[in-house]
Amino acid sequence: MQESEGLGTLGWVLLALLLLGVVVALAFGFASLVYIALPLTVVVFVTIVALCTGTSRKAGA
């Protein structure tokens, strides 16, 4: 990533999810992170498949 680039929308969303995980872990204990991690597993797999198939890239970019 170049120095002039920002996080973008996806970067800020991922950073917010990371901070949410930290807050949940500190407030309710680390075992409660399972409730966040399980649904996010599906999202990560879909993202990996989309990146591998090339469907996330715009034409001509």
Side-chain angles (χ1 to χ4, degrees):
M1 188 162 122
Q2 296 179 4
E3 292 180 19
S4 61
E5 292 181 10
L7 284 177
T9 305
L10 181 60
W12 284 110
V13 169
L14 294 175
L15 187 60
L17 285 174
L18 180 66
L19 291 175
L20 176 67
V22 170
V23 169
V24 168
L26 292 175
F28 302 108
F30 286 97
S32 62
L33 289 179
V34 170
Y35 297 114
I36 295 174
L38 288 177
L40 285 180
T41 302
V42 175
V43 173
V44 169
F45 281 137
V46 169
T47 303
I48 289 171
V49 169
L51 289 173
C52 290
T53 59
T55 58
S56 64
R57 295 185 181 150
K58 295 180 182 177

